[in-house]
């Protein structure tokens, strides 16, 4: 073979290799580019049940995403599921999120978060107002979650709440605490409040219900035996505040709940967390994960430290309770009053 022919063959081989390379490059570009562009991430939101607090949290989540630049149905889609308090719904809905490969999932209330945690160890899960993430077995450590879960806790400022109750009821001897036996997060708070109240030399009586059907009877009995009532962030009772206060109002016993929405629904007062704001924080965490700015494993659980004073003046009037002057002043200055 002449030198020239060898050169030409060499050139042709090089050309084929180069063209092949360009072809493959374009193919891979064609494969990744349009999908990356058109795929709007879906966030699965699993809410345990409907009650005003959880509904506010969900509204807050949408606001938090919006605040971070996510327009709904354009930059992000939400698959919202409400389990209506049913454990088997929680399971099927969690599995649905895994099957549709959501970019992130949010659990509103402890049982929802636990169902999501059982369904996936990979998809990022953001806790929407979970009282005790570590105690519920959701994270190894609140500061260093370690796995695919992080989020927002709604642990309430219980010391401040007890102080407020004592301001309203300086002669109080016995405090009643009512909670649902199956609600783990409510049980945690009931226990904590029991300890605090005992330290304050109060007699504590704990009452439990198993569903909303028991509330009238249990609360009626409780109202005969206590001077005031404390209610933790209990999902069942939050869904039936009117039932609870109907029974306690009849005996003129005030109810001090843990959150804003439960004061608006007939509780007397609290120093509590704004449920909507907890949702906003949750939504912002979801946005940071979608953007790739943070990973659950290394994102500490967010705790809200200070509460706002919420006062229901209508309830005070109805029960014939005078609002202490300093409490009223603070409520007017920096709190929220239901008139
Ligand atoms: N913290 C509750 C849980 O972990 C959920 C919750 C948030 C809640 N805010 C509330 C319950 C207000 C009752 C009232 O399950």
């Amino acid at each position: 073979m002449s030198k020239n022919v060898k050169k030409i063959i060499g050139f042709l081989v090089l050309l084929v290799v180069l063209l092949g390379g360009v072809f493959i490059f374009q193919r891979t570009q064609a494969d990744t580019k349009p999908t990356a562009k058109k795929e709007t991430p879906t966030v699965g939101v699993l809410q345990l049940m409907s009650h005003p607090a959880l509904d506010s949290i969900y509204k807050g989540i949408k606001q938090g995403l919006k605040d971070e630049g996510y327009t709904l149905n354009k930059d992000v889609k939400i698959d919202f599921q409400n389990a209506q308090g049913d454990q088997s719904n929680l399971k099927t809905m969690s599995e649905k999120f895994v099957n549709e490969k959501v970019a992130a999932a949010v659990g509103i209330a402890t049982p929802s978060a636990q169902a999501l945690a059982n369904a996936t160890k990979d998809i990022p899960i953001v806790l929407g107002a979970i009282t005790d993430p570590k105690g519920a077995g959701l994270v190894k450590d609140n500061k260093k979650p370690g796995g695919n879960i992080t989020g927002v806790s709604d642990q309430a400022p219980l010391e401040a709440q007890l102080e407020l109750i004592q301001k309203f009821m300086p002669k109080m001897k016995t405090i009643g605490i009512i909670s649902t036996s199956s609600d783990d997060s409510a049980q945690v708070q009931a226990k904590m409040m029991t300890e605090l109240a005992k330290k304050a030399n109060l007699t504590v009586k704990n009452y439990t219900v198993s569903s909303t059907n028991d509330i009238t009877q249990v609360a009626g009995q409780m109202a005969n035996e206590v001077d005031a009532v404390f209610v933790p962030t209990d999902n069942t009772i939050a869904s039936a505040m009117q039932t609870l206060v109907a029974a306690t109002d009849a005996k003129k016993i005030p109810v001090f709940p843990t959150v804003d929405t439960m004061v608006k629904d007939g509780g007397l007062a609290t120093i509590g967390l704004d449920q909507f704001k907890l949702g906003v924080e949750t939504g912002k965490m979801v946005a940071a994960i979608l953007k790739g700015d943070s990973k659950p494993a290394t994102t500490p659980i967010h705790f809200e430290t200070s509460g706002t004073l919420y006062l229901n003046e209508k309830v005070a009037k109805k029960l014939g309770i005078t609002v202490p002057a300093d409490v009223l002043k603070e409520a007017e200055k920096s709190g929220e009053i239901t008139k």
Side-chain angles (χ1 to χ4, degrees), residues 294-327:
S294 71
K295 290 210 165 60
T298 49
T299 306
I301 300 290
H302 176 95
F303 285 89
E304 284 291 329
T305 42
S306 60
T308 304
L309 177 57
Y310 295 95
L311 169 67
N312 192 325
E313 271 189 337
K314 262 200 302 212
V315 171
K317 259 184 219 136
K318 199 190 235 165
L319 300 180
I321 289 175
T322 325
V323 180
D326 58 330
V327 173

Side-chain angles (χ1 to χ4, degrees), residues 48 51 53-54 57 108-111 128-132 154 183 185 232-235 238 258-259 261-262 275 278:
L48 174 64
H51 63 67
L54 300 190
I57 292 166
I108 305 180
T110 304
I130 304 307
T131 308
D132 185 10
D154 66 327
D183 190 321
S185 72
T233 42
D234 185 299
N235 288 296
T258 19
V259 301
T261 51
M262 290 162 91
Q275 301 297 295
L278 288 172

Side-chain angles (χ1 to χ4, degrees), residues 81-116:
Q81 300 286 330
N82 186 330
Q84 315 288 354
D86 184 298
Q87 197 64 39
S88 69
N89 283 347
L90 287 174
K91 190 163 183 278
T92 27
M93 288 164 177
S94 298
E95 283 160 2
K96 174 176 185 280
F97 289 165
V98 174
N99 288 337
E100 68 186 337
K101 296 193 171 63
V102 295
V106 180
I108 305 180
T110 304
S112 319
Q114 286 169 329
L116 291 171

